[in-house]
Amino acid sequence: MRDLGAGFTYLLKGQRWVARHGKQYGFGLLPGLITLVLYSAALVSLALWGEDAVTWATPFAGDWSSPWQGLFRGFLTAVLFALALLLAVLTFTAVTLLIGQPFYENLSEKVDADVDPNGTAPESGLPLWRELWISARDSLRILVRALLWGVLLFALGFLPLVGQTVVPVIGFFVTGFFLTEELTAVALQRRGVELRARLTLLRSRKTLVWGFGTPLGLAFLVPFVAVFLMPGAVAGATLLARELLGEETDDGHDDTAGDPEGEDLTQRSWR
């Protein structure tokens, strides 16, 4: 339970950091706004022509009597739109980070330098095109994992009682985990931590990760909120990444203290 609260605290710390650095916050809004416009256009198009698409895809129902034809196609249209919304929530962060790679990379570096006792920030040393390629490749891998979870949870949603109570809760925790992975990747990728090592690191502190990502995922369900929270989410994820790797902050606190597994995980995950 303490880690859940600590994760949420890092989310708040990130928002406070960007509130104190208005210029960084302003630049960090641009990628989210671009992504929002693209996603809004896609969802509006689906709302307008989704029923036509379902009708085209189900010619076998053309001869069904009323009301079964309308109920069947209406159900499929609703399912299609629900899946599109789930996909939008799961991919919004990845697409925004990809579009805003230079912005968020700079923001994350400034957070690192601000809290590091020596005032320095790790650098990947890679050209921008290489960083973009790695980010896109890893985001695609995470998206595949998230989609598999989404399909599984969607199927379990048809179970009586459990599907309407337990499954949605699990879904939010799964979403929170993958959101945190995408956001911490900005800082961890600069440190040379590969995707597999990142996942191992996050799984070792799942309650901390859930405390950060699950409230953020819930907030992202509110229209437009994701755009305004993204800069602070990247800042908070950078602070979270420092704790996961056991790096000291400017108050001299070593986050691996009292965690016998922290040192080993850090060594396995570093470069």
Side-chain angles (χ1 to χ4, degrees), residues 49-116:
W49 295 293
E51 187 175 354
D52 294 337
V54 169
T55 300
W56 172 82
T58 56
F60 56 86
D63 297 329
W64 289 10
S65 61
S66 179
W68 304 115
Q69 182 193 90
L71 289 174
F72 176 69
R73 286 177 170 170
F75 172 74
L76 289 182
T77 302
V79 168
L80 178 63
F81 195 79
L83 287 175
L85 282 175
L86 176 62
L87 184 63
V89 171
L90 290 174
T91 61
F92 184 90
T93 300
V95 174
T96 302
L97 290 173
L98 186 60
I99 293 175
Q101 178 77 15
F103 297 96
Y104 295 135
E105 191 78 22
N106 181 262
L107 189 155
S108 180
E109 287 183 6
K110 289 188 180 300
V111 173
D112 265 324
D114 188 42
V115 302
D116 189 85

Side-chain angles (χ1 to χ4, degrees), residues 122-142:
E123 296 182 2
S124 67
L126 299 174
L128 178 60
W129 70 268
R130 179 64 177 170
E131 291 183 347
L132 289 173
W133 163 250
I134 294 174
S135 179
R137 180 197 64 192
D138 290 349
S139 293
L140 182 59
R141 292 174 177 174
I142 290 298

